[in-house]
Amino acid sequence: MPWLGEELIMPILPAHMLSPAAMRSQLYSEFMDIYLPRTGRLDHFSFFEFIATMPTTEPALLESMDALSLVTVGSLNKDRTLLNLSSRTYGRALRSLAKSLTKPAEALRSDELLATTTVLATCALYDEIGQHADGFFQHVNGCQQLIAARGPQSIKSELSLLLFSNTKHGALCSALIERKAPLMARPDWRAVALTSPLQDSSTLFYDTAIQIPGVLERLDQVIHDPNTTSPRIETTALDVDNLLSECERLENELRNFFADWQLRALLDDGFTPMNNSGVLYSEQPIDDFPTFTSLCSDRTFDTAFLFPSFPVAYLTSLYWMCLYLLRTSAQGLHKLRHEIDETWHPSPDSAVTEDELLVYAINLCKCVPFFCEPISSSTGMIGIL
């Protein structure tokens, strides 16, 4: 039984299904069952459902979805045949995308090619495909370049809005690691996100968080970190004070977001507070996370955080990560400000302690078991990490 031109018998498909379109439809359905969270959805993951059911003849998009579906199903089943096929299909998708991009005028108008780059970025998160650590970043940057060339006014169709929402997530993760301000942090693109009809609990969070990589980039310039390639500038007390003010502004926005989020959760009739305490998560014994404990024998932490749904866990973990980066930045700026003027000291309420930073790091560690459980699906075990 051929699979889209390849010599493969698909073990997940019934023998009577010989139509490539029918086989592809069932494969995509299997992929979505495995990859998407079982409770709650976020816009920047739900676009997979949209493109899996939309009619298209774009080879690059079809091949990229084939590759992602095959590697997802193959990874779960530890099926080497499917994994090898996913790698070959990924290569074909790259060649088809490159061919389509040779026609710039058409490529810039194509939501399907924009979708292709997004799907390929997700493919690169799997070890079986992403042989190089920068594969994900290359696809995310390519997606941003396509969006930038199109301009904010082009984000109108339902698919383009879903893709833009997804790109915000990839751009944030990439930019935080690279410590460079992303395209999405520009005021015109932030305005697109805030006025989009696709709004959820993450909208205001992302509006603040997407500005943090720019702070990290400026921090590397003023501190003259020898491990970065940022250009050196002459640092004055005013430079440090301005950057500290920016850190404090973003920190306050994040904390206000989280407090408001908790309050809205309490007022939401459809939301069940964890432990009836009104918080977004509860701390539970590590044995309450059987999938994680079966994979990891380490018991450095004997408890972990339980969340009501994957979206809540996802945003909460990003919140702690962003706070950690902002507060470590503030700590570095405090030291630099004191070096410039030894009489200067941070106020007691703004000083950063190692204990505070350790809390954020431990909180992130205690999220990992939840992301390994079936409720988070493959998005938790692959995408979130």
Side-chain angles (χ1 to χ4, degrees), residues 247-258:
C247 285
E248 291 171 2
R249 177 183 70 81
L250 294 176
E251 179 193 343
N252 288 333
E253 288 185 10
L254 282 181
R255 294 189 187 280
N256 289 338
F257 156 80
F258 197 70

Side-chain angles (χ1 to χ4, degrees), residues 304-366:
F305 292 143
L306 178 67
F307 299 87
S309 67
F310 172 79
V312 173
Y314 174 76
L315 277 182
T316 303
S317 65
L318 282 180
Y319 167 75
W320 283 324
M321 181 172 68
C322 287
L323 269 186
Y324 176 85
L325 290 169
L326 279 176
R327 294 299 281 163
T328 53
S329 297
Q331 184 183 59
L333 288 167
H334 288 164
K335 293 178 180 178
L336 180 59
R337 187 65 175 82
H338 180 71
E339 291 174 4
I340 295 173
D341 177 3
E342 293 185 355
T343 65
W344 184 93
H345 296 278
S347 62
D349 58 340
S350 66
V352 183
T353 67
E354 293 299 321
D355 286 344
E356 177 192 351
L357 298 178
L358 184 60
V359 167
Y360 303 138
I362 290 176
N363 285 350
L364 284 169
C365 290
K366 289 187 175 183

Side-chain angles (χ1 to χ4, degrees), residues 128-234:
E128 292 80 6
I129 287 180
Q131 300 296 322
H132 305 287
D134 59 352
F136 171 77
F137 302 123
Q138 290 175 351
H139 288 307
V140 169
N141 291 334
C143 190
Q144 290 189 83
Q145 290 171 13
L146 280 175
I147 289 179
R150 291 174 54 153
Q153 72 283 351
S154 71
I155 309 299
K156 296 178 181 178
S157 69
E158 183 177 0
L159 178 56
S160 66
L161 287 166
L162 286 169
L163 290 167
F164 176 74
S165 182
N166 181 275
T167 302
K168 284 190 305 179
H169 160 65
L172 174 62
C173 294
S174 175
L176 286 175
I177 294 173
E178 294 182 326
R179 300 174 71 91
K180 301 288 184 183
L183 164 78
M184 299 298 177
R186 284 177 14 189
D188 52 347
W189 287 104
R190 287 174 54 208
V192 172
L194 291 174
T195 57
S196 167
L198 299 176
Q199 304 284 330
D200 60 20
S201 298
S202 70
T203 301
L204 292 179
F205 169 82
Y206 272 102
D207 185 57
T208 297
I210 204 70
Q211 300 174 65
I212 295 176
V215 169
L216 302 179
E217 183 176 9
R218 291 168 57 194
L219 175 69
D220 291 340
Q221 293 173 350
V222 301
I223 290 187
H224 306 328
D225 187 339
N227 295 319
T228 71
T229 57
S230 300
R232 295 173 63 90
I233 63 174
E234 293 300 322

